[in-house]
Amino acid sequence: MKALPQQDPTHSGIWSQPWETVAAQLEADVQRGLSATEIQKRRARYGFNRLRRHARRSTWSILVDQLRSLIIGLLVTAAIVAFVFDDHLEGWAVVLVIVLNTAIGFFSELGAVRSMEALFSLGNMTTRVHRDGELREIPAEELVPGDLVAIEGGDVVTADLRIVEASKLQTDESTLTGESLPVQKQAESVELAAPLAERFSMLYKGTSVTRGSGSAMVVATGMATELGEISALVSSAKDETTPLEVRLDQLGRRLIWVTLAVTVLVVVSGVINGKDLVLMIETGLALAVAAIPEGLPIVATIALARGLRRMATRHALINRLASVETLGATSVICTDKTGTLTENRMTVTQLVLASGNVEIEDPGGDASATFRLDGAPIDPATHLPLRTALETVVLCNNACLGPAADDLSTAAVGDPLEVALLVAGARAGLRRDDLLDALPEEREVAFDAEDRRMATLHGDGGRFRVAIKGAPEALLATSSHLLAADGRQTMDDDERRAWMGRNEELAAAGLRVLALGTKHVDALDADPYGDLTFIGLVGLVDPPRLDVREAIERCHRAGIDVVMVTGDQPVTAAGIARQVGIVGDEAESVVHGGTMKPLAQLTEAERQDLLGAHILARVNPRQKLELIELHKQAGHVVAMTGDGVNDAPALKAADIGIAMGRRGTQVAKEAADMVLQDDAFSSIVAAVEEGRTIFDNIRTFVLYLMSCNVSEVMVVGLAALLGTTLPILPLQILFLNLVTDVFPALALGMGPGDPHQMDRPPRPPGEPILGRPQWLRIAFYGVVFTASVLGALLLAEQWLGLNSVQAVTVSFLTLAFAQLWHVFNMRRAESPLFRNEITRNPYVWAALGLCTGLLLLAVHLPALQQVLGVEPPGLPGWGLALGMSSVPLLMGQVAKWITKD
């Protein structure tokens, strides 16, 4: 036996070779199948028919991911320093923060990840195969190249196969190619240059057989299949760091340098001025604690987790917390067509007859439709061309409708295109069973991929009525007459050209077009296609989802570019794009995948043209990957939607991959960051809005937390430089950061968001959480806070005559309550002073009440008094603290009124 060839169906052109040649190369026996001995040899060479398994995220990896943050690193460093200087209470307090944040993020993300993984479980597939002269049913993973597989309608193709025999064989390849219509298959070879969607002699792993039967040889298994190649692209695509993670890391880096700079400055200046070294180190530790917003990781995690839960109620599962916010930064959505923008089902919308255009208003269910001829209602029973057309599509058909009481489209079995034709007939009261009683089928001439037409012959009063459907050019070429309202008319070449023009107009509108013909013959074996009477054209559409156009309009208002990326025909893609509003009614060029250059070979002008394209057709998985990369290089945050195997690599490479839960394949769901359980495109817009709300809330509470922390740094730093009593102690700072700061920040994170935020463009991809305007506000607030706290300390000592502990308590309370009132400075500039998003937020009032109670306990509970180093300051002290704490609120509102920011 000679050496078996390597598996390489993608590049060896098997589809272009006669099946006999392929069988000889594989040493396959198409009569008896492979022997047991031969199967063992081939399995040893080729392995099992398995794809590479999607790696399951372990519990440990999810836990570790919660700790991969610079801010968490800062907290760990602060805890270590505290333990080194024997400040164990402070050290354990910081450790508690780390544990709390990690637990919240861990359990939220673990639940989301496990929910996603639950979607991926599939049963084991089996395949019927000829072996040792017997037909056996075996697990699909045991297939080897050279096996002879039996194929029937309803089967899922479990390996890449070269067809040997085919009888009316059709497959649904939409998950692999994006083509929404079933593909007619044949044993005859096709051209070597044929694209994947036109390799009619092949069956591909992961597709399904919709009709017919046949037999085929296994030519590739496992990772060597087309599906395996796509799976490899998914594995090679990088996991992207979300914009939020990048921004939080940027903030963390800034905090590191700010913390180090302030700490070194204060310690060095104190030592130079003759202060005690240990005291200065303790002061530096206090500054480090003040500079780090210990509550930030907790608040950010809880805000994201809440967004995740809110998205789950809208049928969207997220497998990564930070992905929720990334949606809000999306500037480009690359969307598949079939099953995402459309319903993935065919519907007859119009018939073009010699007497005019007939539009069909489909009511759904089993109700009758309204037929309108050039806008006027018409009765199909009395209009000869319309009735003949409807009878023809019902007779020349192999599909089957369900009982009349059922929804006609959902209860049907067969080719979706033929089902749509039967439904159109049933809307006019023409059921196939009833017609066959009067016109029994005597012969069928099966659809042929070469001339693209089909015919059935029916007994009709001693003669035979021929019903024909097929490609317009095929039927027009053999038509000698035209059916008009008053009977048959002779058809000339000018009329044929006019009908081809009508065909092109329908195709340009996104419709699939079929031509209809008829005639009578005397013999059953007569040529069914010669000397036809041309009836007209049928326009079918895979209708857009009802809510898609409105969702895309919201995207456009929000400054989000929507790009259709499909494997379907360019004309069909352009028609659907116009219907759903991706492009206007004006003509827009469609980029064909066959003309796309590799990304590395594009000129700058070609890159700009591709960036501006809104419709890309006949695009393969690798080109989708390059398109995503092109947009990302241009500075866009890219979301990719899809449901097919062909979408999976781009889903993983995009900033946000969005898979469809109902129609989506396992491979697509595994690659995605989000799965839409209801397959609704409108849910994507809701997710974008939720993401924008989350970012706005994160920016608000980070601004709040950082202004509080900077004020603490400025208070302690200025006091240390001046050599005065420290207004707040390290544990007091930690108490503020973990208690009085966190709860108001959490309340801000629960805010409803700006109701008009989907009317503004997405923020720039590189925009930080805190930009120049926010840092200027933080500096302003820091100065005001510092003046209020140091002023309160001075007045407590000099005016009220309080001891040092009571004076520090006054300054501590001043800062604490100033930070609580500071939450009202977080309202939007355009919001009213008293009735705004902050005052209407019930969580804010709950946080203020809780924190006030905790401050009362801190001052009056002996155990907390000892830990925090405070004692009751008396009514004058309380009055001073409350009065001075209102200064930042008043100054903040005045500044907001002046600057309108």
Side-chain angles (χ1 to χ4, degrees), residues 267-330:
V267 172
V268 171
S269 62
V271 172
I272 291 175
N273 290 326
K275 299 290 180 62
D276 181 67
L277 177 61
V278 175
L279 176 62
M280 285 296 97
I281 291 177
E282 290 180 350
T283 303
L285 179 59
L287 285 169
V289 171
I292 301 171
E294 287 85 356
L296 177 57
I298 295 175
V299 177
T301 301
I302 291 177
L304 291 172
R306 181 172 180 267
L308 185 150
R309 289 193 298 272
R310 287 178 58 172
M311 289 310 305
T313 64
R314 296 188 175 192
H315 309 288
L317 289 178
I318 312 289
N319 71 354
R320 191 175 179 186
L321 282 180
S323 299
V324 179
E325 182 275 335
T326 307
L327 279 161
T330 300

Side-chain angles (χ1 to χ4, degrees), residues 282-627:
E282 290 180 350
T283 303
L285 179 59
L287 285 169
V289 171
I292 301 171
E294 287 85 356
L296 177 57
I298 295 175
V299 177
T301 301
I302 291 177
L304 291 172
R306 181 172 180 267
L308 185 150
R309 289 193 298 272
R310 287 178 58 172
M311 289 310 305
T313 64
R314 296 188 175 192
H315 309 288
L317 289 178
I318 312 289
N319 71 354
R320 191 175 179 186
L321 282 180
S323 299
V324 179
E325 182 275 335
T326 307
L327 279 161
T330 300
S331 54
V332 174
I333 297 177
C334 295
T335 175
D336 189 28
K337 177 184 72 68
T338 305
T340 305
L341 299 177
T342 68
E343 296 282 359
N344 200 21
R345 63 177 178 83
M346 301 300 295
T347 303
V348 178
T349 59
Q350 61 180 297
L351 294 96
V352 180
L353 308 172
S355 53
N357 290 357
V358 177
E359 295 182 351
I360 304 176
E361 297 177 2
D362 190 339
D366 65 337
S368 298
T370 300
F371 294 81
R372 296 183 182 276
L373 177 62
D374 295 331
I378 185 175
D379 183 1
T382 60
H383 190 275
L384 176 64
L386 177 56
R387 180 175 179 83
T388 304
L390 291 172
E391 287 179 343
T392 299
V393 299
V394 173
L395 290 171
C396 188
N397 205 303
N398 284 309
C400 178
L401 296 182
D406 291 336
D407 184 305
L408 293 172
S409 59
T410 59
V413 176
D415 179 344
L417 184 145
E418 294 199 324
V419 167
L421 297 175
L422 286 185
V423 169
R427 300 290 187 216
L430 299 174
R431 304 281 296 198
R432 179 169 166 78
D433 291 343
D434 296 336
L435 278 179
L436 290 179
D437 288 341
L439 300 166
E441 182 177 322
E442 304 290 346
R443 176 190 172 198
E444 176 182 325
V445 182
F447 179 87
D448 186 280
E450 289 293 328
D451 53 22
R452 296 182 294 166
R453 54 190 176 182
M454 169 188 176
T456 54
L457 284 77
H458 303 264
D460 185 13
R463 302 185 73 198
F464 298 98
R465 174 177 172 177
V466 186
I468 306 162
K469 70 174 187 286
E473 56 271 25
L475 267 67
L476 284 168
T478 58
S479 294
S480 58
H481 292 80
L482 176 66
L483 184 62
D486 54 355
R488 297 172 71 226
Q489 299 177 354
T490 303
M491 175 180 277
D492 57 27
D493 289 339
D494 289 339
E495 287 177 311
R496 291 188 184 91
R497 282 191 289 271
W499 278 100
M500 282 304 299
R502 296 188 185 103
N503 166 55
E504 291 170 2
E505 290 174 3
L506 293 176
L511 276 67
R512 171 69 184 269
V513 186
L514 288 177
L516 305 175
T518 188
K519 71 175 183 177
H520 279 78
V521 296
D522 295 319
L524 197 60
D525 59 354
D527 176 15
Y529 296 127
D531 194 26
L532 295 179
T533 297
F534 190 80
I535 302 171
L537 303 173
V538 181
L540 302 97
V541 66
D542 179 5
R545 293 176 177 272
L546 295 177
D547 56 356
V548 165
R549 187 175 185 89
E550 180 183 355
I552 290 177
E553 287 175 356
R554 292 195 69 196
C555 287
H556 289 163
R557 289 200 305 271
I560 300 170
D561 213 13
V562 181
V563 180
M564 179 192 290
V565 185
T566 179
D568 215 335
Q569 294 282 359
V571 172
T572 304
I576 294 295
R578 282 191 292 271
Q579 290 179 43
V580 300
I582 290 179
V583 297
D585 294 332
E586 67 280 359
E588 177 155 340
S589 60
V590 180
V591 176
H592 194 292
T595 64
M596 280 181 62
K597 296 180 182 178
L599 184 59
Q601 298 179 14
L602 293 176
T603 65
E604 183 58 32
E606 289 171 335
R607 291 170 71 94
Q608 293 304 315
D609 288 343
L610 197 53
L611 284 170
H614 291 92
I615 312 169
L616 295 93
R618 290 301 194 203
V619 178
N620 63 42
R622 194 173 297 278
Q623 289 171 327
K624 290 184 180 182
L625 271 177
E626 292 194 338
L627 181 67

Side-chain angles (χ1 to χ4, degrees), residues 205-242:
K205 182 178 177 70
T207 61
S208 58
V209 180
T210 59
R211 175 189 174 196
S213 61
S215 61
M217 277 181 296
V218 176
V219 294
T221 58
M223 294 300 292
T225 62
E226 283 285 343
L227 182 60
E229 183 184 7
I230 293 175
S231 179
L233 286 176
V234 174
S235 300
S236 64
K238 298 178 182 178
D239 281 321
E240 297 299 319
T241 303
T242 66

Side-chain angles (χ1 to χ4, degrees), residues 4 77 80 116 166 174 182 208-209 215 265 277 296 315 384 474 537 606 638 693 717 746 776 813 844 865 898:
L4 291 168
T77 304
I80 293 172
M116 292 280 284
S174 61
S208 58
V209 180
S215 61
L265 176 63
L277 177 61
L296 177 57
H315 309 288
L384 176 64
L537 303 173
E606 289 171 335
V638 184
T693 295
L746 275 174
L776 289 175
L813 290 173
V844 167
Q865 287 178 4
I898 294 174

Side-chain angles (χ1 to χ4, degrees), residues 824-825 827 833 888-898:
F824 296 108
N825 288 330
R827 69 175 176 88
L833 179 60
L889 172 60
L890 295 174
M891 294 298 294
Q893 295 301 316
V894 170
K896 193 174 290 289
W897 178 73
I898 294 174

Side-chain angles (χ1 to χ4, degrees), residues 9-18 162 186-202 204 450:
T10 304
H11 303 102
S12 61
I14 286 176
W15 56 88
S16 66
Q17 302 172 16
R162 175 62 171 88
Q186 62 189 37
E188 292 76 18
S189 58
V190 297
E191 293 182 359
L192 179 63
L196 184 66
E198 297 174 10
R199 296 173 189 170
F200 305 123
S201 59
M202 296 288 295
Y204 289 105
E450 289 293 328

Side-chain angles (χ1 to χ4, degrees), residues 27 31 48 100 254 265 341 400 634 648 652 665 731 858 873 875:
E27 298 188 15
Q31 302 299 323
F48 282 95
L100 183 60
R254 291 185 179 182
L265 176 63
L341 299 177
C400 178
K652 187 172 182 182
T665 60
L731 279 177
L875 285 178

